[in-house]
Amino acid sequence: MTQQFAIGVDLGGTTVKTALIDAHGSIVAQSKLPTRAQENPAAVLEQIVHSINDVMLKAPGKKIAGIGVAAAGIIQNPGGIVKSPPNFKGWDVVPLGTELEKKFNVRVEVDNDANVAAVAEAKFGAGTAYPNFLFIIWGTGVGGGVIMNGKIYQGPYGGAGEVGHISIDYKGLPCNCGGTGCIEAYIGQRYLSKRTIERITSTAGSKIVEYAGGDPTNIEPIHISRAAEAGDPLAKEVLTEAGTLLGVALAGVMNTLDFRVTIIGGGVSAVGDFVYDAIQASTVKNVQKPLREGIRIIRAKLGNDAGVLGAAGMVL
Amino acid sequence: MTQQFAIGVDLGGTTVKTALIDAHGSIVAQSKLPTRAQENPAAVLEQIVHSINDVMLKAPGKKIAGIGVAAAGIIQNPGGIVKSPPNFKGWDVVPLGTELEKKFNVRVEVDNDANVAAVAEAKFGAGTAYPNFLFIIWGTGVGGGVIMNGKIYQGPYGGAGEVGHISIDYKGLPCNCGGTGCIEAYIGQRYLSKRTIERITSTAGSKIVEYAGGDPTNIEPIHISRAAEAGDPLAKEVLTEAGTLLGVALAGVMNTLDFRVTIIGGGVSAVGDFVYDAIQASTVKNVQKPLREGIRIIRAKLGNDAGVLGAAGMVL
């Protein structure tokens, strides 16, 4: 059998990253172009097509199994329809998948960032040994993707895995979504920073404030994480608490799906191992007994390339 | 095509109920025998075989697609292995599915009560129009089953749908399972009765106590439900609260699976429509925006026959 190749497109608000990868997830050729999201959908499509042609020219003669696209917004399948991606001007509803199929005459799959990153971890990252796992993007918000029998589970309407709005306290913090006690309202990047700022009684001696350049209003999870590694007690407390709360939400998902494994990616996932330990302990405590032994909370392996790798992985 | 028939066995601790049903879910013949669970697995198996022969004799000449069994305990598939069903003497691990396949030389499927009842509703009950729904058994505990693309989703280890131990409050009530704030610890039959008893300040004039025969310690959800229908304010309050809490847990499942529909069966599901309205309102409030319009909370249609119908439904 000749080796298979696929093209992955990571469509961001600023940059279109495109890569041609082989079946092992190695990048053979890549391209980066501005998205032109501030113009109109036609301009964006032009950039995508241009970037795909780019990588095909850089690695000619490769048999392409298909094209995968990671996009923001709500994705409706079949058809790879992308609805209202944030910061894309004039983009209401665009059948991106169908458009690209017409242009390139190959199979095209489109999915949202979280699902695509989940596929990347399943095929090439921390999830290769696990046919069933929950993938979490822990960043500004908390998103997710469900890998079931080795494939992404999109759900009947393409919106599965949205675990950030699972409530962990029915009388808890209000969330932007209108719900109450959503896990995102406790551990999403902004909330985490805000809650930390509120708890700093004095900036003097706070390593968190030090890592944030002396200004508490600049505090990001990365500063809290560094301060924790350097022994700052408040930083450790805040992150351990966040991990414990995340475990409560994860336990509910594990119970429902009969899963054991969660892989955590996204900006905040760079936190120290002690946070993973806290998530693990809390998940174990909160799942049903028969699940406890198998629970595994694992750090994602793929960083910035997860988008192109997972996008290509959808058609490999 | 000749019409298909199947045999459904509902293996309870006291009675083996067996029915031969047609493809529309009509019972053609049935049998009831004592389970002999207090003897040993061989005696129980004998009763099952006997009851199957019974219904085949009552409706001779029917082409049987297979045999389905609803059992308590932990079911492991393939093989239809039943582990430690409560109140079955000497029954550790029995490969019930394989045993019945050998005896009758037809396809045999075994699953737990909740999953089987979910299949019953999917094939013949309130779920026929919905390829994807969560089924809840609201009784002593809170159990569930996940119907995905028209089929039961058993999960990688056969334990999917155990939504009763989803936490709705990470610092809430302790649950028997060792977790904190499990929905079962708020609305399971015993908890619901207990919480109601605690809130009755005076037995005089309480319709709940009246329906419980004058003794508050006898209070069951059915008495609370009847009192609520008769206008008792505490009864209405308790059940509305239970529905609201259940909605919080359901919302998390709907978000994760991208589902819209929940069907509710089990003893407590006989409560008045106002409880369903409370569950619906709370689920809508707590799911993500794109899901809100489609949320449906529906009462199960099948009562005591759900076991035999669902069991047979697994092989139809």
Side-chain angles (χ1 to χ4, degrees):
Chain A
M1 249 182 86
T2 51
Q3 214 204 335
Q4 262 201 337
F5 296 86
I7 289 172
V9 180
D10 186 354
L11 180 62
T14 319
T15 310
V16 188
K17 280 175 63 182
T18 298
L20 192 149
I21 74 162
D22 68 18
H24 307 291
S26 298
I27 292 175
V28 179
Q30 54 186 323
S31 156
K32 267 186 207 182
L33 290 177
T35 304
R36 295 169 60 190
Q38 288 314 306
E39 298 178 33
N40 54 55
V44 174
L45 190 62
E46 203 179 297
Q47 296 302 85
I48 297 172
V49 170
H50 192 156
S51 76
I52 293 171
N53 284 329
D54 251 16
V55 296
M56 292 206 290
L57 279 170
K58 282 181 189 167
K62 300 280 185 282
K63 183 159 171 39
I64 305 297
I67 298 167
V69 183
I74 297 164
I75 316 295
Q76 194 183 301
N77 276 307
I81 299 159
V82 181
K83 285 186 187 173
S84 320
N87 308 318
F88 280 65
K89 205 172 158 186
W91 187 305
D92 182 23
V93 171
V94 176
L96 185 59
T98 312
E99 294 282 345
L100 292 176
E101 262 169 17
K102 270 193 285 180
K103 293 263 183 209
F104 293 98
N105 206 25
V106 291
R107 182 180 158 214
V108 177
E109 292 287 340
V110 183
D111 212 333
N112 67 54
D113 300 323
N115 281 359
V116 167
V119 171
E121 295 296 333
K123 294 237 170 190
F124 311 117
T128 53
Y130 305 108
N132 298 282
F133 65 85
L134 173 69
F135 176 75
I136 294 277
I137 290 201
W138 186 4
T140 312
V142 176
V146 174
I147 296 291
M148 198 178 271
N149 294 321
K151 288 186 188 144
I152 190 76
Y153 169 73
Q154 296 176 316
Y157 307 90
E162 289 308 326
V163 296
H165 298 281
I166 289 176
S167 175
I168 56 162
D169 186 353
Y170 70 90
K171 50 186 173 2
L173 300 179
C175 180
N176 279 339
C177 78
T180 304
C182 299
I183 180 65
E184 180 166 307
Y186 291 81
I187 69 161
Q189 195 154 335
R190 229 168 317 161
Y191 295 95
L192 202 57
S193 299
K194 187 168 164 270
R195 280 155 61 85
T196 307
I197 294 165
E198 285 166 2
R199 281 155 79 167
I200 293 178
T201 46
S202 159
T203 55
S206 162
K207 285 208 166 59
I208 308 174
V209 178
E210 190 186 317
Y211 284 109
D215 181 355
T217 61
N218 283 341
I219 290 173
E220 300 267 340
I222 185 69
H223 308 133
I224 311 172
S225 180
R226 282 187 195 147
E229 306 262 323
D232 185 278
L234 176 62
K236 278 201 105 151
E237 189 185 305
V238 164
L239 287 173
T240 303
E241 195 181 288
T244 304
L245 297 180
L246 179 54
V248 175
L250 295 183
V253 178
M254 299 295 112
N255 279 338
T256 304
L257 293 175
D258 192 36
F259 278 16
R260 303 293 185 272
V261 177
T262 303
I263 296 176
I264 301 184
V268 186
S269 73
V271 291
D273 284 345
F274 72 98
V275 183
Y276 285 79
D277 295 342
I279 305 170
Q280 167 98 19
S282 170
T283 309
V284 167
K285 184 181 173 297
N286 285 287
V287 291
Q288 291 207 102
K289 275 189 192 120
L291 282 71
R292 284 182 192 160
E293 253 185 59
I295 293 297
R296 300 280 177 276
I297 309 295
I298 302 169
R299 193 189 293 271
K301 262 194 190 163
L302 307 167
N304 291 331
D305 287 336
V308 291
L309 290 177
M314 289 193 293
V315 293
L316 271 172
Chain B
M1 249 182 84
T2 50
Q3 215 203 334
Q4 262 202 336
F5 296 87
I7 289 171
V9 179
D10 186 354
L11 181 61
T14 319
T15 311
V16 189
K17 280 174 64 183
T18 298
L20 193 148
I21 72 162
D22 67 17
H24 308 291
S26 297
I27 293 175
V28 178
Q30 55 186 322
S31 156
K32 267 186 207 181
L33 290 176
T35 305
R36 296 168 59 192
Q38 288 313 305
E39 298 178 33
N40 52 55
V44 174
L45 190 62
E46 203 179 298
Q47 296 302 85
I48 297 172
V49 170
H50 192 154
S51 77
I52 293 171
N53 284 329
D54 250 16
V55 296
M56 291 204 292
L57 278 170
K58 282 182 188 167
K62 300 278 185 284
K63 184 158 170 37
I64 305 296
I67 298 167
V69 183
I74 297 166
I75 316 294
Q76 193 184 300
N77 277 308
I81 297 159
V82 181
K83 285 186 186 173
S84 317
N87 309 319
F88 280 65
K89 205 174 159 187
W91 188 305
D92 182 25
V93 171
V94 175
L96 185 59
T98 312
E99 294 283 344
L100 292 176
E101 263 170 16
K102 271 192 285 181
K103 293 265 183 207
F104 293 99
N105 205 25
V106 291
R107 181 179 160 214
V108 177
E109 295 285 339
V110 183
D111 211 333
N112 67 54
D113 300 323
N115 282 358
V116 167
V119 171
E121 294 296 333
K123 294 235 171 192
F124 312 117
T128 52
Y130 305 108
N132 298 282
F133 65 85
L134 174 70
F135 176 74
I136 294 277
I137 290 201
W138 186 5
T140 313
V142 176
V146 174
I147 296 289
M148 198 178 271
N149 294 322
K151 287 186 189 143
I152 190 74
Y153 168 73
Q154 296 175 317
Y157 308 89
E162 288 309 326
V163 297
H165 298 280
I166 289 177
S167 175
I168 56 162
D169 185 356
Y170 67 92
K171 48 186 174 8
L173 298 180
C175 181
N176 279 340
C177 78
T180 304
C182 300
I183 180 67
E184 180 167 307
Y186 290 81
I187 69 160
Q189 196 156 333
R190 228 167 318 161
Y191 296 95
L192 201 58
S193 298
K194 189 168 162 269
R195 281 156 60 85
T196 307
I197 294 165
E198 285 166 3
R199 280 156 79 168
I200 293 178
T201 47
S202 161
T203 54
S206 162
K207 285 207 166 59
I208 307 175
V209 178
E210 189 185 317
Y211 285 108
D215 182 354
T217 62
N218 283 340
I219 289 173
E220 300 268 338
I222 185 69
H223 308 134
I224 310 171
S225 179
R226 280 187 196 147
E229 305 262 323
D232 185 278
L234 176 63
K236 278 201 105 150
E237 190 185 302
V238 164
L239 288 173
T240 303
E241 196 182 287
T244 304
L245 297 180
L246 179 55
V248 174
L250 296 182
V253 179
M254 299 294 113
N255 279 336
T256 304
L257 294 174
D258 192 35
F259 279 14
R260 304 293 186 274
V261 177
T262 303
I263 296 175
I264 301 183
V268 187
S269 73
V271 290
D273 284 344
F274 72 98
V275 183
Y276 285 79
D277 294 343
I279 305 169
Q280 166 100 18
S282 170
T283 310
V284 167
K285 183 182 173 294
N286 285 287
V287 291
Q288 292 207 100
K289 276 192 191 116
L291 282 72
R292 284 182 192 160
E293 251 186 62
I295 294 297
R296 300 281 176 277
I297 310 294
I298 302 169
R299 193 189 295 269
K301 262 193 191 164
L302 308 167
N304 290 333
D305 287 336
V308 291
L309 290 176
M314 290 194 293
V315 292
L316 271 173

